[in-house]
Amino acid sequence: MFDRDTWQEILATIRKHKLRTALTALGVFWGIFMLIFMLGMGEGLRNAVFRDFGSRAKNVMYVWSSPTSKPYRGFQPGRVPRLNLDDITYLDENVDGIDYIAPRTTISGSISYNENVESYNIRGELSDMITVEGYKVYKGRYIQPSDIEESRKVIVIGKRVAEVLFGKGEWDKAIGKYITANGVEFQVVGIFGPEFLKPWTQEDLEATVIPLTTMHRAFGTGGQIHYFAVSALPQYKVSDIENDVKSILQQRHSVSPQDPRGIGGFNLEKEFDKITGLFNSISVFLWIVGIGTLIAGVIGVSNIMMIVVKERTKEIGIRKALGATPGVIIRSILTESIVITLISGYLGLLAGTLLIGSIDYIMEYNEINVQMFYNPEVSLQVGIGALLILIISGTIAGFIPGMMAAKVNPVLALKDE
Amino acid sequence: MIQLRNIKKAYKTEFTSLQVLKGIDLIIEEGEFVSIMGSSGSGKSTLLNILGILDDYDEGTYTLAGELMKNLSEKQAAYYRNRFIGFVFQSFNLLNFKTAVENVALPLYYQKVNRDQRLEKAMHYLEMVGLKDWSDHHPNQLSGGQQQRVAIARAMVTEPKVLLADEPTGALDSTTSHEVMNLFQEIHQNGKTVVLVTHEQDIAEKTERIINIQDGLILNSNE
């Protein structure tokens, strides 16, 4: 199919009609260029939004308790159920699909090192909260399962806490030192902070974390937890287990199943899905618009190939008289149309990718930070998809003219005027 | 070689039907050099198109080299055209963007012969028509007579059973016409069956047999 004669003919027709071929190619070039450019910019929007989610777990819901609003089993409304560690153990054992549960109890505390005394919140946690929130550990480590089992007196402190207690440039010296929290001595094992600094993540810099078991023992919080995060296993959606978790807690704490309050929760996965859905529909929309533009270009190619066939009727007649089969003739027209679409489309793909790449590069190089736009990119799949579309559209563009060519009647084509 | 029995052909439009061939019976033996003569509208071109499998017929049978040429698919027709028949046209019908040798090699392309062999064979036939030194010239750099000789080389390159020529000298002056006819003569002497259509008496007289055709019927066929 791609032997020298085929190329010779394609080059001959292109050379004969440079302007016409160039204008046709421009249509396809523009179509692919717009498709790639729009998808790349859309990706920039998406990346900006998902950047804020960071590496935090997405398949997660938060559960807390609040005053009930309905009387139930002899209890008056207005009572606040007290969630405790037993609830966590029970849920972990009785609900299918739970990956882990990360509870947190927060008390206010006064933290001191030598003569420095500051007041910061003390959080009691199990080991998984770092996975849920995606914290960054600057130095040392976070709370570990063995800390919890042995109720060790270890503490992880926010970076700002370390800066205040140990001095601005010396924050990393805190590791291994002993500090006092509410009168109990703890050894500092890690320094942490939020993944991204935002107004609403500042408090993570100013918090301290100790094992929940240690907290219950040392500070008399009596097994109580304030809220917890539940993460579902990868093959489950947290929405699947949301109802189970809630109804078990309602039952354990005598909250009416009809009560919208009492046991509260926030399903992050649902919100995350909404945003994902939004961006998926934006990308579908962009594909439709882009492919629409491309179709206009392809129709242009088809038109030109039609003219090419008309112009070459005599030549096609000669070829048929010399023994060219309809298949050979269709193939030569198809090849020509695919070559034109592929080359111009490839250039469009290249130009679009280059433009998106340079926007990304310029933004990164000059550290331009736009709220709703970050790291525009063209994925390999989009590139391959675009190439496939080009080959398919080139074939479609060449097909009708090719059929026309195959139907040329040699007797009429060779009639001497 | 060629056997026509009661060939009938009509061109039908929506309202009219024009009977062009009204029952042609014709036998051409292998190695014959024959001319078909007739005025315009006599049906001689239609007859040639049927002989060349460019056109089909309504009734009768056409046997070429022992094979019945009837109800052929496009692909089969292309095959027989390529293997059995060599065409020479009045207006040469060379492809302008190909050189002389590439034009001659074209029919072999449809036999899927590889490029080197194609060009080698084409060169051989160009030499036969005396145009070896012109092989890399394009048709528009050649005279009419030279172009027709290239076309004859192209018709011969597949070693067809029959050489069909449609007014091969119609676009040439008398000197070159003479040269081209000599070339046909030479091909005939090498044992090839040659059929040519013409309306020039002096051209026809150079062949062995003249078939006169009038109003879709053969008048005589004098030896």
Side-chain angles (χ1 to χ4, degrees), chain A residues 208-219:
Chain A
T208 64
V209 187
I210 61 173
L212 187 57
T213 46
T214 315
M215 175 179 271
H216 290 326
R217 237 180 244 186
F219 302 130

Side-chain angles (χ1 to χ4, degrees), chain A residues 3-6 8-9 12 314-315 318-326 328 406 409-411 414 416, chain B residues 11 49 54-55 74-75 78 81-82 87 89-91 93-95 97-98 102 106-107 109-110 115 118 154:
Chain A
D3 54 283
R4 205 166 132 189
D5 299 72
T6 318
Q8 198 186 22
E9 275 162 48
K314 177 137 195 186
E315 181 198 324
I318 296 171
R319 285 171 181 282
K320 285 192 129 184
L322 296 180
T325 56
V328 170
N409 181 344
V411 175
L414 291 173
D416 292 312
Chain B
Y11 287 113
N49 287 335
L54 290 172
D55 213 343
E74 281 267 7
K75 208 176 160 183
R81 253 178 251 151
N82 185 248
F87 271 109
F89 304 96
Q90 179 175 6
S91 53
N93 285 339
L94 300 173
L95 301 186
F97 54 87
K98 286 181 182 283
E102 283 167 342
L106 189 61
Y109 173 66
Y110 297 121
R115 190 177 166 84
R118 241 160 46 213
R154 180 178 67 183

Side-chain angles (χ1 to χ4, degrees), chain A residues 131-410:
Chain A
T131 325
V132 175
E133 299 291 345
Y135 291 138
K136 183 149 114 193
V137 174
Y138 290 96
K139 200 160 193 222
R141 60 176 178 82
Y142 205 71
I143 302 292
Q144 287 177 346
S146 58
D147 297 332
I148 289 145
E149 273 161 41
E150 298 168 24
S151 305
R152 285 188 196 143
K153 285 183 181 149
V154 293
I155 191 163
V156 180
I157 58 178
K159 192 171 174 225
R160 195 163 297 152
V161 178
E163 282 170 353
V164 170
L165 292 180
F166 294 87
K168 193 122 184 99
E170 318 244 292
W171 58 270
D172 53 337
K173 299 259 164 59
I175 300 285
K177 300 276 165 47
Y178 286 87
I179 63 173
T180 314
N182 287 2
V184 180
E185 232 180 27
F186 286 87
Q187 187 180 22
V188 178
V189 293
I191 296 159
F192 83 108
E195 190 177 13
F196 303 108
L197 281 179
K198 296 270 173 191
W200 58 91
T201 60
Q202 293 286 333
E203 59 167 9
D204 290 327
L205 282 175
E206 302 182 343
T208 64
V209 187
I210 61 173
L212 187 57
T213 46
T214 315
M215 175 179 271
H216 290 326
R217 237 180 244 186
F219 302 130
T221 37
Q224 198 195 344
I225 58 174
H226 289 148
Y227 76 89
F228 62 86
V230 187
S231 156
L233 287 169
Q235 65 269 35
Y236 288 85
K237 292 190 139 252
V238 85
S239 310
D240 301 335
I241 58 176
E242 185 177 6
N243 287 337
D244 286 353
V245 170
K246 278 193 175 166
S247 59
I248 285 173
L249 290 177
Q250 280 165 342
Q251 210 170 8
R252 283 171 69 86
H253 293 278
S254 304
V255 177
S256 160
Q258 276 78 44
D259 197 341
R261 299 178 59 86
I263 303 296
F266 172 77
N267 188 337
L268 183 67
E269 185 238 333
K270 231 182 227 165
E271 302 303 311
F272 190 75
D273 275 0
K274 264 188 218 161
I275 296 173
T276 314
L278 174 70
F279 278 99
N280 286 344
S281 26
I282 288 178
S283 140
V284 166
F285 174 73
L286 292 181
W287 273 100
I288 290 172
V289 174
I291 287 176
T293 318
L294 190 61
I295 286 174
V298 168
I299 290 173
V301 174
S302 199
N303 244 323
I304 290 302
M305 293 310 296
M306 219 85 106
I307 294 173
V308 166
V309 169
K310 277 263 179 283
E311 272 184 2
R312 286 167 54 182
T313 303
K314 177 137 195 186
E315 181 198 324
I316 292 163
I318 296 171
R319 285 171 181 282
K320 285 192 129 184
L322 296 180
T325 56
V328 170
I329 287 167
I330 292 177
R331 226 178 298 146
S332 77
I333 301 289
L334 272 186
T335 313
E336 188 170 332
S337 131
I338 292 174
V339 165
I340 292 178
T341 23
L342 211 57
I343 289 178
S344 51
Y346 184 73
L347 290 179
L349 183 68
L350 216 63
T353 315
L354 225 62
L355 182 60
I356 291 291
S358 35
I359 290 175
D360 188 32
Y361 177 78
I362 289 167
M363 280 181 70
E364 212 147 285
Y365 189 78
N366 298 317
E367 286 170 17
I368 298 169
N369 214 335
V370 186
Q371 188 66 42
M372 281 309 285
F373 193 75
Y374 169 71
N375 186 21
E377 58 184 356
V378 180
S379 66
L380 187 65
Q381 290 101 300
V382 170
I384 291 172
L387 276 181
L388 274 178
I389 289 174
L390 280 176
I391 294 173
I392 293 169
S393 51
T395 312
I396 294 171
F399 193 70
I400 298 171
M403 293 301 281
M404 260 174 61
K407 284 205 188 101
V408 164
N409 181 344

Side-chain angles (χ1 to χ4, degrees), chain B residues 34-47:
Chain B
V34 177
S35 60
I36 299 172
M37 281 198 77
S39 54
S40 70
S42 61
K44 64 181 192 301
S45 290
T46 305
L47 181 60

Side-chain angles (χ1 to χ4, degrees), chain B residues 43-86:
Chain B
K44 64 181 192 301
S45 290
T46 305
L47 181 60
L48 191 79
N49 287 335
I50 289 172
L51 288 177
I53 326 171
L54 290 172
D55 213 343
D56 51 7
Y57 49 94
D58 304 328
E59 263 180 66
T61 54
Y62 167 29
T63 318
L64 172 62
E67 309 256 0
L68 180 66
M69 299 292 145
K70 195 162 194 178
N71 300 327
L72 298 176
S73 70
E74 281 267 7
K75 208 176 160 183
Q76 286 169 316
Y79 176 85
Y80 286 126
R81 253 178 251 151
N82 185 248
R83 304 277 166 154
F84 285 11
I85 289 161

